[in-house]
Amino acid sequence: MLEKSRLGKLFIEKEVIDKDTLNKALLIQADEDPVNPRRLEEILVSDFKVDHDAIFGILADLYAFRTINIDIEKVDEKQIKHTREILSKFPEDFRKELLYKKILPYQISYGRRNKLLVLSGNLTEKLVERIPLLTEFKKYEIIYCRLKTLEELIELIAPQHNEFLELLQEASEQIEEIREPSPEAEIDEYALDDEINKSLLVSLYEASLVEAVRKDASDIHIIPFQRSNIDIYFRIDGKLHLWHRQENIAPEAMAAVAKDRTSGIDRFERDTAQDGFSQRIIDDHLIRFRVSVLPIISAEYERRFETIVIRVVDDRKVITDLKKLGFQKQAEKDFLKAINTSRGIVIVTGPTGSGKSTTLMAALYHVMDPSKNVLTCEDPVEYVIRGARQLKIGHKLSFDNAVRSILRHDPDIVMVGEIRDKITADVAVKLSNTGHLTFSTLHTNDAPSAISRLYKMGVEPFLLAYAINIIVAQRLVRKICPHCRKPLSKEKYQAALDLGLTEEDLKSGKIFEAGKGCKKCTEGYKGRINICEALYFSHEMRKSIVQAGTEIDEEKIRQIAEKQGMLSLRESGLERIREGLSSISEVAYATSED
């Protein structure tokens, strides 16, 4: 423990983590499998999402490893060829394992004794010790390289292959024009099986799962297109992009493949909505998929078409560090104040896909510790939360019954996936009033309207006033790619002024628009960031709500909140534009109801 504490103290001195994070990480480490425990630095990076390079950069200095900075743009063909020749001398399985661990045998340093230079982002990884045992390279030196640079180098020199896509390409010449079913005929299941085997649709389906994970897509859409084609779309950064169109394929056959490879779905049921799940090991990570199937109509009334949407649930995306949510200063201050208490309701509101679950996950991880009983009630469960007891909703335990049962299970902290009706609203208020910290979501356009919504559900104003700590209304806007962005063109100045920017903002040279796209982004955008309004329940706010009577005055509530420092959604978005992070079109779209 002494060594761990010394290392932890060093991280605190360098202001990479705080004492609270260190204590939580050490508790997790104490519970690790004694046969194969994780190191402190690995826990901080994987469980607490501390910046990888901040941690391992400190370790490189501490253990006197050489550090290298490589400009990817300046890596020439000669170097690429040299590195590929080195990699060719490694056994295939060992090479794949090294590259997966972000370890790259990069260059031979010639001298009295030739030495292999190995770039690594994880200086504690013992896999490199096998290099002399499995290859001709008996002498090597590990050099620290930033993780992002390593990932780009590996993608340039030894890009990942999708074996299912390769199988599909090999089989593309075998795919023949299919016969349309006659209007009177039922679907011939044997013919469908023949179609599946002939066209290797299984490879296409599996390829879509692998590519969606690698492209950081949140959803996969499989849609019948015309008579005998299917379109596969990926939702990336909130927008749908066509990934693949497969021609001369019966859409019914593709639906059958997806159903066959999903648990909880009946392949032969084509007239009702179905939900199921599956999981795969992709790039050595367990990825879960939620599958939704819906019957749809087409111009060909005799066909039995279905649309399929697959949600990609990747636990690596869970944010456990509140600071990584990117809240603006006042919002972060109010949010921390609201969750660092023993009681009260914290509500995050916004439309589907606005990052509500992500915000609540980060809040939960911030307040959880082994001394607290944390219960969650979600339908469906999105992510597995280490240290929480997550209720399993099913036909024997409905969401409403589960919410009622929570009160009898001695909780300290509760997360209710959504306040849906008066039942869940009443339970949330009761939990708050009996000294429990409660997290939940709501579907409203902004923070003040959430109060009206709860009032209309039947919750009295005096209960609302003293039960709620904070309401955060948020949206996600796409971030402009910093590599191909360009200054805002003059023809868009008027739109920027209409949105709320000033002449001074436009003259600052810090207002950008998305470029045409580059290899590091998707159509000029890469990633998303939140904009939000955080309505904190101060004494003045509570007093105003108690005095509301029979009508909640949303405008008065907004005025009090803005006087306290709350930014509106629009103003929050304008700040993102001024920071050079997003575009006027993104903010205008996200705040169009304001």
Side-chain angles (χ1 to χ4, degrees):
M1 282 298 279
L2 185 60
E3 184 184 343
K4 296 171 192 171
S5 298
R6 283 177 178 168
L7 190 56
K9 286 175 183 176
L10 180 60
F11 292 146
I12 291 172
E13 286 170 12
K14 298 288 186 180
E15 298 183 347
V16 172
I17 59 171
D18 55 28
K19 288 182 180 178
D20 185 48
T21 303
L22 175 61
N23 288 332
K24 289 181 179 180
L26 290 173
L27 283 170
I28 290 172
Q29 191 177 38
D31 289 335
E32 288 283 307
D33 179 359
V35 177
N36 188 27
R38 288 183 299 165
R39 299 175 68 92
L40 177 61
E41 57 270 21
E42 293 170 353
I43 293 171
L44 289 171
V45 171
S46 63
D47 292 20
F48 294 89
K49 300 298 184 287
V50 180
D51 183 75
H52 180 281
D53 293 313
I55 291 288
F56 284 94
I58 291 170
L59 288 180
D61 291 339
L62 180 64
Y63 299 128
F65 281 90
R66 268 208 296 158
T67 299
I68 189 170
N69 294 311
I70 297 173
D71 186 344
I72 299 296
E73 303 295 332
K74 294 180 180 178
V75 177
D76 57 22
E77 285 300 321
K78 184 178 177 182
Q79 177 63 60
I80 293 172
K81 183 181 178 183
H82 176 64
T83 305
R84 285 176 178 168
E85 286 174 356
I86 293 171
L87 289 170
S88 69
K89 296 175 182 179
F90 281 67
E92 184 178 358
D93 289 345
F94 184 42
R95 181 175 69 245
K96 285 182 178 178
E97 197 174 354
L98 283 169
L99 296 178
Y100 169 71
K101 296 282 189 179
K102 302 298 182 289
I103 298 169
L104 180 62
Y106 185 63
Q107 193 172 307
I108 297 173
S109 175
Y110 294 100
R112 201 164 43 173
R113 262 187 89 188
N114 294 345
K115 181 169 60 175
L116 177 64
L117 304 183
V118 181
L119 308 186
S120 176
N122 183 350
L123 303 171
T124 59
E125 177 55 60
K126 294 186 177 181
L127 189 65
V128 292
E129 295 174 3
R130 292 160 55 191
I131 290 176
L133 303 175
L134 299 175
T135 73
E136 64 186 57
F137 303 104
K138 303 307 175 188
K139 190 176 181 184
Y140 65 91
E141 179 188 357
I142 302 172
I143 300 175
Y144 174 69
C145 182
R146 291 178 65 83
L147 187 62
K148 183 69 176 172
T149 304
L150 261 176
E151 289 172 344
E152 291 177 352
L153 270 174
I154 291 170
E155 183 61 30
L156 180 66
I157 295 167
Q160 290 177 309
H161 295 289
N162 187 328
E163 60 184 289
F164 299 107
L165 273 183
E166 290 169 356
L167 283 171
L168 188 69
Q169 288 161 2
E170 290 172 12
S172 60
E173 294 178 3
Q174 304 170 19
I175 299 175
E176 302 168 4
E177 186 69 35
I178 62 169
R179 291 177 298 155
E180 302 291 338
S182 64
E184 298 83 10
E186 285 294 315
I187 291 175
D188 186 335
E189 302 296 346
Y190 293 107
L192 270 188
D193 281 333
D194 181 56
E195 184 65 31
I196 291 166
N197 295 329
K198 177 181 66 179
S199 58
L200 284 184
L201 279 181
V202 170
S203 292
L204 176 58
Y205 179 74
E206 293 295 334
S208 70
L209 301 183
V210 172
E211 287 299 295
V213 172
R214 288 179 179 171
K215 292 181 181 294
D216 203 22
S218 61
D219 300 89
I220 306 166
H221 290 240
I222 302 174
I223 310 166
F225 176 72
Q226 297 179 347
R227 302 171 67 84
S228 57
N229 307 314
I230 54 166
D231 284 346
I232 301 179
Y233 285 84
F234 290 164
R235 187 177 293 280
I236 300 172
D237 292 337
K239 303 291 182 182
L240 286 175
H241 301 271
L242 179 64
W243 172 68
H244 185 79
R245 172 169 291 166
Q246 186 65 55
E247 299 178 342
N248 301 328
I249 288 296
E252 295 94 336
M254 188 65 189
V257 168
K259 290 166 156 186
D260 279 344
R261 303 182 74 79
T262 302
S263 299
I265 288 183
D266 181 359
R267 166 179 166 174
F268 303 103
E269 176 58 69
R270 297 185 176 90
D271 296 316
T272 188
Q274 296 191 75
D275 294 306
F277 68 92
S278 63
Q279 57 187 31
R280 302 285 188 278
I281 300 292
I282 297 176
D283 298 333
D284 274 3
H285 284 280
L286 178 65
I287 309 294
R288 289 172 288 122
F289 300 93
R290 290 209 322 262
V291 183
S292 170
V293 181
L294 284 174
I296 58 173
I297 61 169
S298 74
E300 302 157 87
Y301 67 90
E302 73 281 2
R303 304 292 291 275
R304 308 281 289 279
F305 286 166
E306 292 169 292
T307 175
I308 299 166
V309 174
I310 303 166
R311 168 62 55 90
V312 181
V313 182
D314 187 345
D315 288 325
R316 291 173 296 177
K317 294 181 181 178
V318 175
I319 296 174
T320 57
D321 183 353
L322 266 176
K323 292 182 180 178
K324 293 190 184 302
L325 289 175
F327 276 143
Q328 284 145 322
K329 191 173 181 181
Q330 186 64 40
E332 183 178 293
K333 179 183 174 184
D334 288 341
F335 192 68
L336 283 169
K337 195 161 42 170
I339 67 175
N340 285 324
T341 62
S342 59
R343 60 168 296 279
I345 306 174
V346 174
I347 296 175
V348 183
T349 183
T352 301
S354 60
K356 299 188 296 294
S357 295
T358 300
T359 298
L360 287 185
M361 288 296 117
L364 264 182
Y365 275 104
H366 182 82
V367 298
M368 274 173 31
D369 67 56
S371 69
K372 296 184 175 74
N373 176 17
V374 180
L375 294 177
T376 77
C377 181
E378 307 161 82
D379 185 20
V381 172
E382 191 85 3
Y383 296 104
V384 176
I385 305 169
R386 185 191 294 242
R389 305 177 203 178
Q390 296 176 268
L391 276 62
K392 188 175 181 180
I393 306 301
H395 65 280
K396 290 187 177 179
L397 181 64
S398 69
F399 183 81
D400 288 348
N401 288 336
V403 168
R404 288 190 183 99
S405 300
I406 281 174
L407 287 161
R408 300 191 294 273
H409 210 73
D410 187 31
D412 294 295
I413 300 170
V414 174
M415 185 175 82
V416 178
E418 181 186 350
I419 295 178
R420 303 179 176 184
D421 48 32
K422 191 174 188 302
I423 293 171
T424 45
D426 285 344
V427 170
V429 169
K430 191 170 182 179
L431 281 164
S432 171
N433 289 339
T434 52
H436 302 87
L437 184 59
T438 307
F439 297 92
S440 193
T441 67
L442 199 62
H443 287 280
T444 60
N445 287 334
D446 56 22
S449 63
I451 301 172
S452 297
R453 173 83 185 277
L454 290 167
Y455 175 66
K456 288 171 184 174
M457 282 183 184
V459 184
E460 295 295 332
F462 72 91
L463 290 174
L464 288 174
Y466 291 100
I468 299 173
N469 293 350
I470 195 169
I471 299 174
V472 177
Q474 70 178 46
R475 304 285 187 277
L476 293 177
V477 293
R478 291 185 294 171
K479 292 167 67 176
I480 298 173
C481 173
H483 302 284
C484 65
R485 69 183 184 182
K486 56 185 181 181
L488 187 69
S489 54
K490 289 192 175 180
E491 56 264 28
K492 295 181 180 177
Y493 275 20
Q494 189 55 51
L497 293 170
D498 292 342
L499 190 67
L501 291 172
T502 64
E503 293 281 0
E504 289 74 20
D505 291 330
L506 298 176
K507 291 174 183 177
S508 69
K510 296 179 180 178
I511 310 300
F512 297 94
E513 62 179 293
K516 292 182 179 179
C518 64
K519 64 181 182 180
K520 295 184 178 180
C521 70
T522 303
E523 297 177 0
Y525 293 93
K526 180 65 175 176
R528 291 188 289 176
I529 193 168
N530 82 7
I531 59 173
C532 75
E533 52 183 32
L535 195 160
Y536 182 75
F537 275 52
S538 63
H539 177 73
E540 186 181 357
M541 183 70 68
R542 297 184 197 279
K543 184 178 177 182
S544 174
I545 294 169
V546 168
Q547 294 173 348
T550 58
E551 191 71 32
I552 300 292
D553 189 341
E554 293 181 21
E555 192 53 43
K556 183 180 178 182
I557 288 170
R558 178 172 291 281
Q559 288 172 3
I560 294 170
E562 289 181 351
K563 191 171 74 173
Q564 293 173 177
M566 181 189 85
L567 295 177
S568 68
L569 280 168
R570 174 63 58 84
E571 192 54 50
S572 176
L574 291 175
E575 284 299 307
R576 296 303 191 196
I577 295 173
R578 293 184 185 108
E579 292 162 1
L581 296 174
S582 196
S583 64
I584 59 170
S585 58
E586 277 294 298
V587 172
Y589 178 77
T591 62
S592 57
E593 70 272 7
D594 287 1

